[in-house]
Each structure stands twice: as structure tokens, then as C-alpha cells.
Amino acid sequence: TTSLLAATIFWMVPVGPADSGEGPCQDLFSFTALGGPIADKGQGLAIFQLFLPDSVGEIASLELLIDGLSHARPGDLDLFLIAPDGAFIELMTDRGGVVAVTGVDLFFADSAAGVPSTPLLSGEYQPEGLFEGYDAGFATFVGYSGGGMPWLLLAIDDAAGGTGSIGSFTLFGSI
């Protein structure tokens, strides 16, 4: 199942003293896209797209919120964030066990303390790829100019027996 971008919310705010000599002006951004259904194993991948505008310059930091995750067996899920050039990070793989969840909010940041556990609860987590040493986490995308092409949230259900959905997802960052 493929879900195309249905809605995007955007804001960029200058932060800090731009001309006071106290430090650089930093632009913060937040972009949100709607999620959709997550099919059971063998019934297709869930690929959710988010377009950053060309005006987003070189990325200095990035974080991700998955809002409203529901699944009959969250331990069946593998979640990845994929940049337009194919670079990706592992957010979580097979975490959360077999206890159904409804409306869970997962905030992923490199600075978080741990990875999602069982049972899967709303909270702030480190991307599993960074925690396990498989990838560099969101630092993978530092220096990347990510506007104009889609970023993808990939949700794979790798075991039969349950479906789910994602309400929305938001990229937060600075340039």
C-alpha cells in the first residue's frame, strides 16, 4: 500500500541573534505528512512521503515524530527513514512485542536514552540503528540539502497476523 502526501504543514522561524555578533541565526523547520494503513506481511509495504521545499538548505539537525501509531502486533514492524538520495536510518525493528497498541506517539532523536521496548509506549527514543551501531542515526543526514524530493517513512510488517496504521509523521530540524 502506498500513501501519497495528503497534507503538509510547514514553519521556519529564525532563532537567535542574527546580527548581534552573539552567534549565527538558525532556522528551525517542521514538516508534517499524513500517514495511512500498514498492511500485514505479504500484502505490500507502507511507504509514506514527505516533501521538503527547495528553500530548506543544508540540514544541521533532524528529529522525527511518528504520531498515532496503531498496530495489532507492534513487534512485527520495521520502521526506516529514507532520504531522497537513498540514505536511510533504522528507527526500530521488531520492538514492542505482541500487545496491541493504539495511538502511540514515538519521538526519535539521536540524543534520546534508549530504544522502544515491550510493551510499546509513547515516548522519546534513540533510532535503533544508532543504538545498535548499524548506522549514524540522524547525523547521517547532517549536511544534506533535502529539499525538492520526497523523504520516505517506510513501515514493513515482517510477520503475519496483524495490521495497523500511522496517523502522521513530522520531521523537525534546523538548517
Side-chain angles (χ1 to χ4, degrees):
T1 304
T2 301
S3 174
L4 297 178
L5 174 67
T8 299
I9 302 167
F10 162 72
W11 61 268
M12 289 184 80
V13 179
V15 176
D19 58 3
S20 68
E22 295 179 24
C25 180
Q26 183 179 31
D27 286 324
L28 302 177
F29 65 82
S30 170
F31 298 91
T32 299
L34 294 179
I38 301 170
D40 201 1
K41 180 181 180 178
Q43 298 178 9
L45 302 175
I47 303 171
F48 308 107
Q49 297 184 37
L50 176 76
F51 286 86
L52 302 183
D54 289 330
S55 61
V56 173
E58 191 173 291
I59 292 172
S61 69
L62 203 60
E63 298 170 332
L64 174 75
L65 171 66
I66 296 175
D67 186 49
L69 172 68
S70 298
H71 200 278
R73 296 170 46 114
D76 294 356
L77 290 178
D78 301 336
L79 299 174
F80 298 89
L81 179 64
I82 306 170
D85 68 352
F88 68 92
I89 64 170
E90 176 185 352
L91 298 167
M92 69 177 227
T93 303
D94 303 326
R95 297 280 177 170
V98 296
V99 177
V101 296
T102 302
V104 170
D105 299 331
L106 305 174
F107 185 78
F108 291 95
D110 287 348
S111 61
V115 294
S117 60
T118 301
L120 187 62
L121 302 172
S122 293
E124 184 174 326
Y125 301 103
Q126 192 175 82
E128 186 172 345
L130 176 62
F131 184 80
E132 298 290 344
Y134 303 137
D135 60 51
F138 290 107
T140 300
F141 307 121
V142 171
Y144 187 83
S145 182
M149 298 287 290
W151 288 72
L152 305 176
L153 177 62
L154 174 62
I156 302 168
D157 186 316
D158 63 8
T163 61
S165 64
I166 291 175
S168 65
F169 72 104
T170 302
L171 282 176
F172 297 93
S174 63
I175 54 175

